[in-house]
Amino acid sequence: MITKKLGVSRLADWVGTLIQHHQVYGPQARDGRFVYDSLASPKQLRLDHDVTVLPPRKYLMPPREVLLKYSREGGFQPVIDSSPLVLFGVHPYDVAAIIQMDRYFTQDNPDAHYLERRKNVTIVACDVQNASENVFAACMGSATVREGYDLLLTLVGQTYVVESRTPAGDALLALAGELEDADPVSLGRREQVWEDAQKLLRRQNLGTVPSELPHLLDRTYDHPLWRQKADQCFSCGSCVMVCPSCFCFDVQDDVGWDLNSGTRRRQWDGCLLSEFALVAGGHNFRKQREQRYRHRFYRKGKYLSERCGFVACVGCGRCVGACTSGIANPVEVYNALLEVS
């Protein structure tokens, strides 16, 4: 592990050098909000962002992705993207979500498409400087991270403490030129930033710890809250589409007009959408909105916890801001269940 100091004034030069050598994506300001996009200039990078509209998972699992091509004459050929890229400025809660994706897509039947992309992505994380109004990452244990990244930047005054944990991180950091080692004072100030993050990223307060959520949901499957909330749900799926810990997908074949060739692709899907549970024969085993609404919370708070060992919510708060009905907030739902359980 290498830990250096990088002055704020030198950040732009370093990022500019990275852009010359790599395809770099980072948070940028667009119409009063922040989005991840390709960086053409260091001036576009905003490490003071609160939260991006979509999480960086879109680079590891694209919204639409061709899996293979096929034809009568040539059989089928897998399509796997191995293009290297750098994700710059990833917040800790999004790093935590990527760690969850790594675990999910490597167990049972490893996903070759995801794993190839993941292998070629270098993650430059950055501790949060400005918290969004809906964030509750501190409640979910993801206000800070100690793994899952190649480099971590922490702003302390006019200096970034830059920590490299991997050879890929070392290679990026070398492009910054000669840097001073992080001294005890800078490291102490970084510890204070991490301590402060436990308050900064707690704009909402969950009334229990994540490990208790499966037990809470065990007791409240038939609670009337599910119907009350679902009656206001539009089944638009906005909450699950912006979630960094939702990675369900649908697979479809697109056959050419000549009926001789085609492609198989996957695209994001979500349990709030009315056709998510539609199967052959036109049967839908979650036809009612109440069933779909409830499933979202059980999938994230109980089912994946039992299967994979993690609660699939990192507290970014994106779902809260995306929901037009105001019924997607996990903190409100879990706290309401706690009052009667």
Side-chain angles (χ1 to χ4, degrees):
M1 184 173 67
I2 300 173
T3 309
K4 299 288 187 177
K5 293 195 301 182
L6 176 74
V8 171
S9 60
R10 295 186 59 181
L11 177 67
D13 291 338
W14 179 39
V15 174
T17 302
L18 294 181
I19 292 172
Q20 294 176 15
H21 292 82
H22 302 276
Q23 185 68 51
V24 184
Y25 296 85
Q28 306 173 32
R30 297 277 177 80
D31 299 322
R33 306 185 73 181
F34 294 100
V35 298
Y36 277 98
D37 205 347
S38 177
L39 292 173
S41 165
K43 295 180 179 179
Q44 296 174 312
L45 181 65
R46 292 287 301 272
L47 294 185
D48 62 341
H49 67 292
D50 52 4
V51 66
T52 55
V53 176
L54 287 178
R57 76 174 170 105
K58 65 180 181 178
Y59 298 108
L60 296 166
M61 183 183 175
R64 298 189 71 179
E65 176 183 17
V66 174
L67 301 178
L68 59 86
K69 297 180 180 180
Y70 54 87
S71 64
R72 288 180 181 270
E73 296 78 15
F76 70 91
Q77 301 83 37
V79 178
I80 298 181
D81 187 356
S82 57
S83 305
L85 60 90
V86 176
L87 292 180
F88 204 105
V90 182
H91 277 168
Y93 48 74
D94 282 331
V95 174
I98 291 172
I99 293 173
Q100 292 185 357
M101 292 180 68
D102 290 348
R103 291 171 61 180
Y104 184 81
F105 284 115
T106 54
Q107 70 172 24
D108 299 333
N109 297 303
D111 189 304
H113 295 81
Y114 174 84
L115 294 178
E116 184 66 19
R117 287 180 183 275
R118 181 68 179 91
K119 182 177 68 176
N120 289 286
V121 170
T122 304
I123 296 176
V124 181
C126 182
D127 281 310
V128 180
Q129 299 173 22
N130 294 302
S132 67
E133 61 181 354
N134 297 316
V135 69
F136 56 99
C139 301
M140 307 307 295
S142 53
T144 60
V145 286
R146 299 294 182 273
E147 61 178 339
Y149 55 83
D150 299 281
L151 287 169
L152 172 65
L153 278 65
T154 308
L155 182 63
V156 293
Q158 292 299 306
T159 300
Y160 281 100
V161 175
V162 187
E163 176 187 289
S164 175
R165 280 189 170 266
T166 67
D170 295 346
L172 291 190
L173 192 55
L175 294 176
E178 291 294 329
L179 299 175
E180 293 182 33
D181 290 338
D183 56 86
V185 174
S186 297
L187 295 176
R189 296 180 70 184
R190 183 176 68 165
E191 290 287 345
Q192 186 61 55
V193 169
W194 290 343
E195 183 178 334
D196 292 343
Q198 302 305 320
K199 297 179 181 178
L200 179 66
L201 302 187
R202 198 183 294 265
R203 293 295 177 89
Q204 305 175 72
N205 192 48
L206 182 65
T208 187
V209 294
S211 60
E212 286 299 315
L213 292 178
H215 307 297
L216 172 65
L217 293 169
D218 268 337
R219 305 190 298 268
T220 53
Y221 189 84
D222 295 317
H223 194 282
L225 174 140
W226 306 119
R227 171 63 63 84
Q228 295 166 9
K229 295 287 188 180
D231 284 345
Q232 304 172 62
C233 179
F234 295 133
S235 295
C236 67
S238 296
C239 57
V240 292
M241 292 303 166
V242 301
C243 177
S245 298
C246 282
F247 26 85
C248 290
F249 58 86
D250 186 26
V251 177
Q252 297 183 357
D253 283 347
D254 296 323
V255 182
W257 289 105
D258 59 3
L259 302 182
N260 288 315
S261 62
T263 60
R264 175 168 295 174
R265 60 178 170 82
R266 66 177 170 190
Q267 62 188 31
W268 290 359
D269 204 354
C271 56
L272 267 293
L273 300 175
S274 59
E275 295 185 354
F276 180 80
L278 186 65
V279 296
H283 302 289
N284 192 327
F285 55 87
R286 263 185 234 113
K287 189 173 183 178
Q288 297 178 356
R289 280 185 300 175
E290 177 185 351
Q291 296 172 321
R292 298 194 300 274
Y293 180 84
R294 177 175 57 198
H295 178 76
R296 175 202 171 205
F297 291 91
Y298 273 73
R299 182 263 183 192
K300 301 176 75 61
K302 175 175 165 61
Y303 302 149
L304 279 180
S305 176
E306 294 172 344
R307 178 181 176 184
C308 303
F310 58 78
V311 170
C313 175
V314 294
C316 68
R318 288 185 176 94
C319 59
V320 184
C323 180
T324 57
S325 298
I327 47 92
N329 190 335
V331 173
E332 289 185 358
V333 170
Y334 291 137
N335 284 349
L337 295 176
L338 282 168
E339 291 179 0
V340 296
S341 64

